[in-house]
Amino acid sequence: MLPAGALRPHQPGDSAVASPESDASELGQLRILCIDDDPSSLAALGSLLHDWGCQTLAAASPDDAFALARAHPDIDVVLSDYALGHALDGAALIHALRELLGEVPGALLTGDPAAAQAHKDGTIEFPVLVKPVQPADLRALLEVFVSVG
């Protein structure tokens, strides 16, 4: 039960309703390095971030990620798959990229529920979003990164 008057009709210009313009103004300044060895996952993530107005850099491997980080030292956020089919997992890769970029915020996007459990156990310090990642969850995480950035 809600008290009388707790609900009000939507008024034009209400800030509670996000528009594409507000998406761009909140996240549009972010330059995000996305790393995934699955081309379709990488493309889908890039498309979503592009729709939100973010600038994205796509890397299919740790080597690509290092090259992009050297070429673009102004990267704001790193989003990496956890299992990259490489000697480095996503968490180790974000740590290594911080040697080039500074304390850039990072998160892991993974289909491996063990990575989410490792985050809960404190083994992985980065936020973990389990694939398929819900756009609202990713957006909320990026908004946190912007607010503390």
Side-chain angles (χ1 to χ4, degrees), residues 73-89:
D74 58 343
I75 290 170
D76 298 305
V77 175
V78 176
L79 300 176
S80 179
D81 186 24
Y82 182 68
L84 294 167
H86 194 270
L88 288 177
D89 63 38

Side-chain angles (χ1 to χ4, degrees), residues 50-132:
H50 177 75
D51 287 348
W52 289 342
C54 301
Q55 298 175 27
T56 60
L57 302 166
S61 70
D63 290 338
D64 291 348
F66 287 120
L68 286 169
R70 283 189 287 276
H72 302 278
D74 58 343
I75 290 170
D76 298 305
V77 175
V78 176
L79 300 176
S80 179
D81 186 24
Y82 182 68
L84 294 167
H86 194 270
L88 288 177
D89 63 38
L93 177 57
I94 294 172
H95 280 292
L97 287 168
R98 284 180 164 185
E99 296 294 319
L100 294 171
L101 301 171
E103 288 296 312
V104 62
L108 298 169
L109 313 178
T110 183
D112 183 357
Q117 186 59 47
H119 172 70
K120 288 178 186 174
D121 296 341
T123 308
I124 294 176
E125 72 178 84
F126 303 105
V128 175
L129 298 177
V130 178
K131 292 178 182 177

Side-chain angles (χ1 to χ4, degrees), residues 12 33 44 66 110 114 133 138-139 143:
L33 174 57
F66 287 120
T110 183
V133 173
L138 178 58
R139 181 173 177 79
E143 288 173 349

